[in-house]
Amino acid sequence: MLAGGTFLFSEPQEGMDRLVDITALGWPALAETDEGLEIAATCTLAEFAGAVPGRELGVEVLRAQWPGTALFARACRALVASHKIWRTATVGGNVCLSLPAGAVLGALVALDGVAMVWSPDGSDRRIPLREFVLGPGHTVLGSGEVLRSITVPTRTLHARTAFRKIALAPLGRSGAVVMGRREAEGRCALTITAATTRPTVLDFDETPGAAEVRGAVAAIDPTLWFDDPHGAPDWRRHVTGVLAREVAAELRTEVGDGQ
């Protein structure tokens, strides 16, 4: 299936014999629903980073209404992509490509997004996005299935968030990205991407302290740490621990300030 198509020209696509363009289906990029915010697979990164459905609101107003959406623009800036590509590349492409450095995928996992998948037989199914990716470039999508949208629930749209990223070069591909979410009732989640082969979520009943974060990161399956020219597994594990503790500390500070 073809949405933005930016990945097509990045490397040889052996074995591909046809493309089905879904951009003409007319799906609204963003739509408010009773459940929260529905984001179409064809939503561009530019729309994802700074729009709100049916209203002429700037990014600042959007963040005031739904603080959790602050992760949207941060995730787009974490990608090695120009603003020109933002106007073509899509949310669905980033999710389905399922690369470890796919920060848009990471942001939607961090906000507990749920994917809506259309099947060839006309049925559909909903899949928590944290279960959508099996590994680099591999998802739960079956033959002929299409990612229709991702819905971010209202409770996480209202959550406080924190974000940290590190790379071996100032403009290089992310080596580790950690996004934190603290909900109104105190629940907290730290989501790790880029450093692991698929998004990894650490759930806590309340904002964790440094020791609890250190233990949770140490308990991650060693086989999940990603190894490529942008970072060795031991380095990724170490810097992820540092970033995760910083994210948790930022969220704890907000609690202390009464925010």
Side-chain angles (χ1 to χ4, degrees):
M1 299 300 173
L2 176 67
T6 53
F7 182 68
L8 285 176
F9 303 100
S10 65
E11 60 182 58
Q13 306 295 324
E14 298 179 3
M16 182 177 294
D17 54 16
R18 68 172 180 169
L19 295 169
V20 178
D21 186 0
I22 63 174
T23 58
L25 293 177
W27 298 338
L30 299 153
E32 291 184 77
T33 69
D34 292 339
E35 296 176 318
L37 177 64
E38 183 180 38
I39 304 162
T42 51
C43 174
T44 67
L45 299 190
E47 291 169 323
F48 179 71
V52 67
R55 303 176 188 173
E56 294 183 358
L57 298 180
V59 175
E60 294 78 8
V61 179
L62 173 60
R63 290 180 182 172
Q65 176 182 324
W66 289 329
T69 62
L71 288 182
F72 291 1
R74 288 179 171 180
C76 290
R77 287 195 294 269
L79 299 172
V80 184
S82 72
H83 283 266
K84 292 181 180 179
I85 292 176
W86 280 26
R87 293 194 290 270
T88 302
T90 61
V91 169
N94 194 265
V95 170
C96 292
L97 193 56
S98 302
L99 296 181
V104 170
L105 164 66
L108 292 170
V109 171
L111 293 175
D112 249 4
V114 177
M116 172 67 77
V117 174
W118 284 359
S119 299
D121 62 5
S123 64
D124 54 52
R125 57 189 177 120
R126 294 168 62 86
I127 307 167
L129 208 57
R130 65 168 67 188
E131 301 172 8
F132 188 84
V133 177
L134 303 177
H138 297 283
T139 72
V140 297
L141 289 176
S143 177
E145 289 190 321
V146 176
L147 175 64
R148 165 62 180 86
S149 63
I150 300 99
T151 296
V152 178
T154 301
R155 63 178 172 79
T156 61
L157 289 170
H158 288 290
R160 298 288 182 180
T161 62
F163 179 99
R164 294 291 189 280
K165 170 199 167 182
I166 192 170
L168 291 176
L171 297 178
R173 179 174 291 184
S174 300
V177 176
V178 179
M179 306 183 207
R181 178 188 88 239
R182 177 175 61 79
E183 298 176 21
E185 72 277 13
R187 289 173 55 196
C188 182
L190 303 180
T191 298
I192 299 163
T193 60
T196 49
T197 56
R198 62 176 185 266
T200 301
V201 183
L202 307 177
D203 291 299
F204 304 92
D205 292 332
E206 58 184 12
T207 310
E212 191 174 1
V213 173
R214 186 178 292 108
V217 172
I220 294 173
D221 183 346
T223 64
L224 287 179
W225 296 107
F226 193 47
D227 185 9
D228 76 348
H230 302 283
D234 57 346
W235 174 78
R236 293 182 194 265
R237 182 174 59 248
H238 172 73
V239 297
T240 294
V242 174
L243 299 182
R245 291 192 294 274
E246 290 181 359
V247 165
E250 181 176 330
L251 295 177
R252 285 199 307 275
T253 299
E254 290 179 342
V255 173
D257 291 342
Q259 297 183 14

